Amino acid sequence: MARMQRISRRGMMGGVAAGGAMMALGGSAWAAAPDLKAIRAEVDKRHDESVKRLQTWIRQPSIAAENRGMEEGCKLTMEMLKDAGFQTATRMPTDGQPGIFATLDAGAKRTVGMYFMYDVKQADPSEWMSPPFEANLVDKPGFGKVLIGRGATNQKGPEATFLAALHAIRGAGKKLPVNLVLVAEGEEEIGSPHFPQVVRKPEVLSALAKCGEVWMPFNSQDPDGSVTIDLGAKGIIECELVSTGARWGRGPTKDVHSSLKAELDSPAWRLVMALTTLVSADGNDPAIDGWYEHVKPLSDHDKAMIENAAAKQDEKQVMKQLGVQHWVKDLNFKDAMLRLASEPTVNIEGLVAGYTGPGGKTILPSRAVAKLDLRLVPDQTAADCLAKLKAHLAKRGFGDIEVNMTGGYDPTQTAEDSSLIKAEQAVYRRHGIEPLMQPRLAGSWPGYIFTGAPVSKPGGHFGLGHGSGAHAPNEYFVIESSNPKVEGMAGAAMSYVEFLYQLAAMK
Amino acid sequence: MARMQRISRRGMMGGVAAGGAMMALGGSAWAAAPDLKAIRAEVDKRHDESVKRLQTWIRQPSIAAENRGMEEGCKLTMEMLKDAGFQTATRMPTDGQPGIFATLDAGAKRTVGMYFMYDVKQADPSEWMSPPFEANLVDKPGFGKVLIGRGATNQKGPEATFLAALHAIRGAGKKLPVNLVLVAEGEEEIGSPHFPQVVRKPEVLSALAKCGEVWMPFNSQDPDGSVTIDLGAKGIIECELVSTGARWGRGPTKDVHSSLKAELDSPAWRLVMALTTLVSADGNDPAIDGWYEHVKPLSDHDKAMIENAAAKQDEKQVMKQLGVQHWVKDLNFKDAMLRLASEPTVNIEGLVAGYTGPGGKTILPSRAVAKLDLRLVPDQTAADCLAKLKAHLAKRGFGDIEVNMTGGYDPTQTAEDSSLIKAEQAVYRRHGIEPLMQPRLAGSWPGYIFTGAPVSKPGGHFGLGHGSGAHAPNEYFVIESSNPKVEGMAGAAMSYVEFLYQLAAMK
């Protein structure tokens, strides 16, 4: 649920060269690249097989929130990894759903870390034009042939495309230019609560210590072919605040008739009163004691990146997409984008109390719940912020309100001059794409597990190709692109091939 | 939904004589009573027919909230009224579900008004031990043979029992001692939004003007046989407060990714902030501008009635039933009961915003709703209070928050020395029951339509018999009582017979 969700803002962005066709190779870092044509031929030859592999994967839903198909999904993923050349792929038990630890030793000098997820978000079939777990191929005007299904872009599509790249390299008779250490989880969509248990196993830590970086395959291209590289992402705490008569010791312990309000306390009113203490009167700034203690301001360079991005976007178009007329506090577009990258937030995802159906029902509810997500920025940590939230409530006499953290993690940040980011830039540029650099994604992904101690490696996402609809109905992945600026599955696979060779060549 | 719901508090009350057996008749007001034995014989003779009538009625659900079976229920009720001797029974169209206007001219000197409802509350069959619309007869330990079904006690059971009384009087060859004017509605359970349209038709007003009082059949007996007479009831406003990005002109007009909170306003936070202005910091006292302007304090006599009732109840038992450990503001029991009768309230029935399922979902909701019920006391009126609520919000800049009133009405009050109350007391006492007098029910019923202008008659409830589970699963009505203190259907029918004769004898 707390996955990285890119906000598609970049459709109006200028400055993107007409990429898509493979550019001439060049530069010293590229010297080690083999004859890519042979590998591309293998990608094309194995295209149907690659699509079928993705379809097989999507047709096995693994939804942690519903505890559905998890063991099957874990097993299938391990089989696919081994099939693609990983010598080991081990099920890693956790207190929740199992993770995977896989290694591919190619006898190469450089070892690269990778992050996979095998779970997907829930899907309500009634909202889909093509059933979410059938993975049908459909013509999408302006895009070409797309595969529709839950996980098509988040994240099975890019992951299966990376596996297609491995098959193609091997099929072309080439040796993989890097060794791979891969960790996967089945709980990304519920906030990765147990993924640290996988990564912090001694054998995994020791394998990751040998890696230069850790990355995840990703459909980076917007519909106009442009790419943004985010150097980090906000952290997140997802939690429920639960007010009950039972814990409070006041108000009813079961729902009672609403006429009794005159003589009984209300857990719902208590929740409302507690909530108001968490933010400023306009609902926009966290007001939790000590919340800004570790908040690091943006650097001038960060600000310049954001100002550059703001200048390249059409504010009106962005507002229209979001259905808004004003930025918070009536900020201008640039300041709104600066705030988006720099400010922690306390957001209400949901409110649930008492009767929630049509009309009314005369009850005094014994329980009220606010679902919050709190976005964190460097150098806040989820553990410290959770403790601060609880202390804030306790200090104001709301200590009985349960704070149930359901998922979350620290912010993540990777240096612009790291091997990972440089390699990404090099491949994108070779495709004629000048990536828009951004200091931080306002969304979240569990990159801190790799960028924070004890692993402490550069972490990020890479990949050409396009998909959209993550968490929404009709999620899709472009298989055969009708848009010359956007790569289909084969072009995306080739971007992964190039990326591995590029990483092999990095210092 | 806003129906009168009696809070069963009276199980521990002392001072109730061992009633149940019919007492010797006496007193001048009773001189006109006929030979009740002949009528009782008819009640017994027609018992199975009466039970079957009630079953037929329950097997035709009429649920306004679901717009289910309304025309059928209206038609069936009219047929039953005519079958019981009403010469006219007319469907009265409204802007919502139809009402009924029925008259029975017995050529009597006195005319009595009656109020029926033909709708019932929703029922989820999965929660019932016997299906809610099968009306099965079941043995209930400690009670006897009971009928289980939606409407068994609220209100088809008592109403069908009253019809049984009419059949018995006619069957015994007697003339009804009073004329009847009956108005019925099909929207009681959704707050009677269109009932005034029925009552305020000229022909109905003119018929009601001839009545000495208006009453509704009711299972008044608690399991120990005791009876409470409430001289009034609080009024109610049920409404939804709806905060949306669209109306506000800030925040998103559709749900967007929660990471955008940093740059977007939140309609959910706005609702929370607006809500806190409506009550005191402890959530217990209305803080809406001018709310207490027309609040009339309890009289010394009112207070004495409540103190008497408090003294007769077991506080610990009441607390246990409600699942509470403290009264509001740590009041003692007596003061809590005084508050229950005298104070207006602002209660949260429900909160609904964004994601309400298990776990979380990273969205910034575009819409948030609080379902409120506001109980009113004399001399507050629903119209004035609704206007005050809207003005209060507007004054604080929350004018964009919609206030959708879904139902409600004014408080109702009837004088203790009215013909209606005196007749009730007389019949109960003749059964050895000294009714506990209470100034006001904390719940609500649309009695104001009869007790307020332009009708301005005494209004209330009457009847022996017992049932429970209104609005809850396994609603029941005692058909054949195994408890000598509690009347079954036949005894309840006789209480209605006696009541009509008693009313006929009132000055």
Side-chain angles (χ1 to χ4, degrees):
Chain A
M1 62 188 138
R3 71 168 282 282
M4 172 159 141
Q5 175 145 337
R6 290 184 173 264
I7 307 310
S8 183
R9 280 239 186 140
R10 304 181 301 262
M12 294 296 113
M13 196 175 68
V16 175
M22 193 161 298
M23 309 290 281
L25 302 177
S28 64
W30 197 237
D35 176 9
L36 290 181
K37 281 189 186 143
I39 299 176
R40 171 76 199 212
E42 280 294 313
V43 165
D44 290 338
K45 189 177 122 190
R46 295 163 183 270
H47 180 70
D48 291 351
E49 172 192 314
S50 299
V51 173
K52 199 165 171 304
R53 184 179 302 113
L54 173 55
Q55 288 175 317
T56 301
W57 208 353
I58 288 176
R59 288 168 188 164
Q60 172 55 63
S62 297
I63 302 174
E66 299 174 352
N67 193 23
R68 174 177 173 194
M70 299 311 299
E71 285 297 340
E72 296 86 341
C74 181
K75 187 159 169 277
L76 178 61
T77 306
M78 290 193 294
E79 286 166 5
M80 286 182 172
L81 290 170
K82 286 200 163 172
D83 195 35
F86 283 83
Q87 293 104 350
T88 73
T90 310
R91 180 184 178 284
M92 303 294 280
T94 72
D95 291 341
Q97 302 298 347
I100 298 169
F101 171 43
T103 55
L104 192 166
D105 183 351
K109 279 210 318 223
R110 191 180 182 91
T111 301
V112 171
M114 297 195 68
Y115 166 59
F116 267 31
M117 57 189 273
Y118 69 84
D119 65 317
V120 296
K121 199 78 184 169
Q122 303 97 302
D124 176 356
S126 69
E127 298 174 339
W128 290 60
M129 51 171 275
S130 170
F133 302 113
E134 284 192 7
N136 292 320
L137 295 170
V138 170
D139 278 318
K140 187 175 170 75
F143 291 87
K145 190 191 282 183
V146 307
L147 185 149
I148 293 189
R150 177 54 86 224
T153 194
N154 173 211
Q155 202 74 292
K156 289 175 177 174
E159 290 170 350
T161 306
F162 176 77
L163 297 182
L166 297 187
H167 281 279
I169 294 171
R170 190 174 54 187
K174 312 287 179 189
K175 208 178 67 141
L176 208 62
V178 292
N179 311 311
L180 297 177
V181 169
L182 184 145
V183 281
E185 68 167 318
E187 295 184 327
E188 203 277 348
E189 296 293 6
I190 58 166
S192 306
H194 302 101
F195 192 43
Q197 293 178 7
V198 175
V199 173
R200 289 167 190 174
K201 283 266 159 55
E203 66 273 30
V204 180
L205 279 181
S206 129
L208 286 171
K210 297 180 191 126
C211 298
E213 53 283 303
V214 184
W215 68 284
M216 181 182 220
F218 183 71
N219 280 331
S220 295
Q221 288 192 286
D222 267 354
D224 67 354
S226 65
V227 167
T228 296
I229 294 177
D230 291 293
L231 297 172
K234 285 185 178 176
I236 186 170
I237 292 174
E238 272 198 283
C239 62
E240 289 186 337
L241 265 52
V242 185
S243 170
T244 63
R247 267 181 71 109
W248 187 12
R250 303 194 67 90
T253 52
K254 59 184 177 183
D255 294 355
V256 298
H257 194 259
S258 64
S259 64
L260 295 164
K261 177 67 199 81
E263 61 179 13
L264 296 183
D265 292 285
S266 160
W269 273 122
R270 182 162 180 77
L271 178 71
V272 167
M273 295 302 173
L275 283 173
T276 57
T277 72
L278 301 182
V279 293
S280 55
D282 65 359
N284 288 326
D285 299 308
I288 302 165
D289 296 339
W291 206 248
Y292 289 87
E293 185 187 355
H294 299 298
V295 170
K296 203 165 72 177
L298 293 175
S299 71
D300 288 345
H301 183 56
D302 290 341
K303 287 181 190 170
M305 283 193 267
I306 293 166
E307 286 166 14
N308 175 48
K312 285 179 175 166
Q313 290 182 54
D314 180 335
E315 180 183 11
K316 284 208 178 67
Q317 181 66 23
V318 173
M319 282 190 154
K320 196 178 153 195
Q321 275 182 12
L322 296 176
V324 302
Q325 297 174 43
H326 303 277
W327 304 112
V328 82
K329 299 170 191 282
D330 289 319
L331 295 179
N332 63 37
F333 189 36
K334 183 198 78 182
D335 288 340
M337 284 190 64
L338 287 168
R339 196 178 148 88
L340 185 62
S342 63
E343 287 292 318
T345 57
V346 178
N347 176 58
I348 297 176
E349 295 178 352
L351 291 172
V352 201
Y355 178 70
T356 58
K361 191 176 178 189
T362 47
I363 57 168
L364 165 51
S366 60
R367 185 171 190 273
V369 179
K371 294 167 185 281
L372 303 183
D373 73 282
L374 304 94
R375 302 277 169 176
L376 310 178
V377 300
D379 292 327
Q380 293 182 299
T381 64
D384 181 58
C385 286
L386 183 67
K388 283 187 160 110
L389 171 60
K390 289 180 177 175
H392 172 97
L393 289 171
K395 188 178 163 191
R396 284 158 184 77
F398 294 116
D400 57 284
I401 293 184
E402 281 177 76
V403 179
N404 297 330
M405 179 160 159
T406 55
Y409 30 76
D410 299 340
T412 179
Q413 208 68 33
T414 285
E416 194 173 0
D417 63 357
S418 64
S419 57
L420 177 67
I421 303 302
K422 284 182 167 175
E424 292 188 6
Q425 288 171 326
V427 178
Y428 289 139
R429 285 177 184 148
R430 219 174 293 123
H431 281 262
I433 298 170
E434 182 56 41
L436 183 70
M437 301 305 296
Q438 287 290 275
R440 189 176 304 139
L441 183 73
S444 305
W445 74 288
Y448 84 101
I449 293 176
F450 309 114
T451 62
V455 179
S456 304
K457 303 288 179 183
H461 295 73
F462 172 83
L464 290 179
H466 170 72
S468 191
H471 295 200
N474 304 316
E475 180 178 350
Y476 69 91
F477 173 40
V478 175
I479 300 295
E480 291 173 22
S481 178
S482 64
N483 177 349
K485 295 187 177 176
V486 170
E487 294 291 350
M489 191 179 190
M494 282 310 295
S495 77
Y496 295 126
V497 171
E498 292 175 59
F499 190 51
L500 293 178
Y501 281 100
Q502 185 67 50
L503 284 169
M506 300 305 287
K507 279 174 192 149
Chain B
M1 61 188 140
R3 69 169 286 284
M4 172 158 142
Q5 176 145 338
R6 289 184 173 264
I7 309 312
S8 186
R9 281 238 184 137
R10 303 180 303 260
M12 294 295 116
M13 196 176 67
V16 175
M22 192 161 301
M23 309 290 280
L25 303 179
S28 66
W30 197 238
D35 175 10
L36 291 180
K37 281 189 186 143
I39 299 176
R40 171 77 199 211
E42 280 293 312
V43 165
D44 290 339
K45 188 176 122 190
R46 294 163 183 270
H47 180 69
D48 290 351
E49 172 192 313
S50 300
V51 172
K52 197 163 173 305
R53 184 180 300 115
L54 173 55
Q55 288 175 318
T56 301
W57 208 353
I58 288 176
R59 287 167 189 166
Q60 172 56 62
S62 296
I63 302 175
E66 299 174 351
N67 193 24
R68 174 177 174 196
M70 300 309 298
E71 284 298 338
E72 296 86 342
C74 182
K75 187 160 169 278
L76 178 60
T77 306
M78 289 192 292
E79 287 165 6
M80 286 182 171
L81 290 170
K82 286 198 163 176
D83 194 35
F86 282 82
Q87 291 105 351
T88 73
T90 309
R91 179 184 180 282
M92 304 293 282
T94 73
D95 291 342
Q97 303 297 348
I100 298 168
F101 172 44
T103 56
L104 193 166
D105 182 353
K109 279 206 323 213
R110 192 179 181 93
T111 300
V112 170
M114 296 196 67
Y115 167 58
F116 266 31
M117 54 188 276
Y118 69 85
D119 64 316
V120 297
K121 200 76 184 172
Q122 303 97 302
D124 177 356
S126 69
E127 298 174 339
W128 290 59
M129 52 171 274
S130 171
F133 302 112
E134 283 191 9
N136 291 321
L137 294 170
V138 170
D139 278 318
K140 187 174 172 73
F143 292 86
K145 189 191 283 182
V146 306
L147 185 150
I148 293 190
R150 178 54 86 225
T153 193
N154 174 211
Q155 201 74 288
K156 289 175 176 173
E159 289 170 349
T161 306
F162 175 76
L163 297 182
L166 297 188
H167 281 278
I169 294 171
R170 189 176 54 187
K174 313 285 178 188
K175 208 180 68 142
L176 207 63
V178 292
N179 311 310
L180 297 176
V181 170
L182 183 144
V183 281
E185 67 167 318
E187 297 185 329
E188 203 277 349
E189 296 293 7
I190 59 166
S192 307
H194 301 102
F195 192 44
Q197 294 179 6
V198 176
V199 173
R200 290 168 189 172
K201 283 266 161 56
E203 66 272 29
V204 179
L205 279 182
S206 131
L208 286 170
K210 297 182 190 122
C211 299
E213 53 282 305
V214 185
W215 68 284
M216 181 182 219
F218 183 70
N219 280 330
S220 296
Q221 288 192 286
D222 266 357
D224 67 354
S226 65
V227 167
T228 295
I229 294 177
D230 291 293
L231 296 172
K234 285 185 178 176
I236 186 169
I237 291 173
E238 274 198 282
C239 62
E240 290 186 338
L241 265 51
V242 185
S243 170
T244 64
R247 268 180 70 110
W248 186 13
R250 303 194 68 89
T253 52
K254 57 184 178 183
D255 294 356
V256 299
H257 194 258
S258 64
S259 63
L260 295 163
K261 178 66 199 85
E263 61 178 12
L264 297 183
D265 293 284
S266 161
W269 274 122
R270 182 163 180 77
L271 179 70
V272 167
M273 296 302 173
L275 283 174
T276 57
T277 72
L278 301 182
V279 293
S280 56
D282 65 359
N284 288 327
D285 298 308
I288 303 165
D289 297 338
W291 206 248
Y292 289 86
E293 186 187 355
H294 300 298
V295 170
K296 203 167 70 180
L298 293 175
S299 69
D300 288 346
H301 182 56
D302 290 340
K303 287 182 189 168
M305 283 193 269
I306 293 166
E307 286 165 14
N308 174 48
K312 286 178 174 167
Q313 291 183 53
D314 180 335
E315 179 182 10
K316 285 208 176 67
Q317 179 67 21
V318 174
M319 282 190 154
K320 196 177 156 196
Q321 275 182 12
L322 296 175
V324 302
Q325 296 175 42
H326 303 277
W327 303 113
V328 81
K329 300 171 191 282
D330 288 319
L331 295 179
N332 63 35
F333 189 36
K334 184 196 77 180
D335 288 341
M337 284 190 64
L338 285 169
R339 196 179 148 88
L340 184 62
S342 62
E343 288 292 317
T345 58
V346 178
N347 176 59
I348 296 176
E349 295 178 354
L351 291 172
V352 201
Y355 178 70
T356 58
K361 192 176 178 188
T362 47
I363 57 167
L364 165 52
S366 60
R367 186 172 190 273
V369 179
K371 294 166 186 281
L372 303 183
D373 73 282
L374 305 94
R375 301 279 170 175
L376 311 178
V377 300
D379 292 322
Q380 294 182 301
T381 65
D384 180 59
C385 286
L386 182 67
K388 283 186 160 113
L389 171 60
K390 288 180 178 175
H392 172 97
L393 290 170
K395 188 178 163 189
R396 283 157 185 78
F398 294 116
D400 57 284
I401 294 184
E402 282 177 75
V403 179
N404 296 330
M405 179 162 159
T406 56
Y409 30 75
D410 300 340
T412 180
Q413 209 67 31
T414 285
E416 195 173 0
D417 63 356
S418 63
S419 57
L420 177 68
I421 303 303
K422 283 181 165 176
E424 292 187 5
Q425 289 172 325
V427 179
Y428 289 139
R429 285 176 184 149
R430 219 174 291 124
H431 281 261
I433 299 170
E434 181 56 40
L436 184 70
M437 301 305 297
Q438 288 290 275
R440 188 176 304 139
L441 183 74
S444 306
W445 74 288
Y448 82 100
I449 294 175
F450 309 115
T451 63
V455 179
S456 304
K457 303 288 178 183
H461 295 73
F462 172 82
L464 290 179
H466 170 71
S468 191
H471 295 201
N474 304 317
E475 182 179 348
Y476 68 91
F477 173 40
V478 175
I479 301 295
E480 291 172 25
S481 178
S482 63
N483 176 350
K485 293 186 178 176
V486 170
E487 295 291 349
M489 191 179 192
M494 283 310 295
S495 77
Y496 296 126
V497 172
E498 292 175 58
F499 190 51
L500 293 179
Y501 282 99
Q502 184 67 50
L503 285 168
M506 299 305 286
K507 280 176 190 150

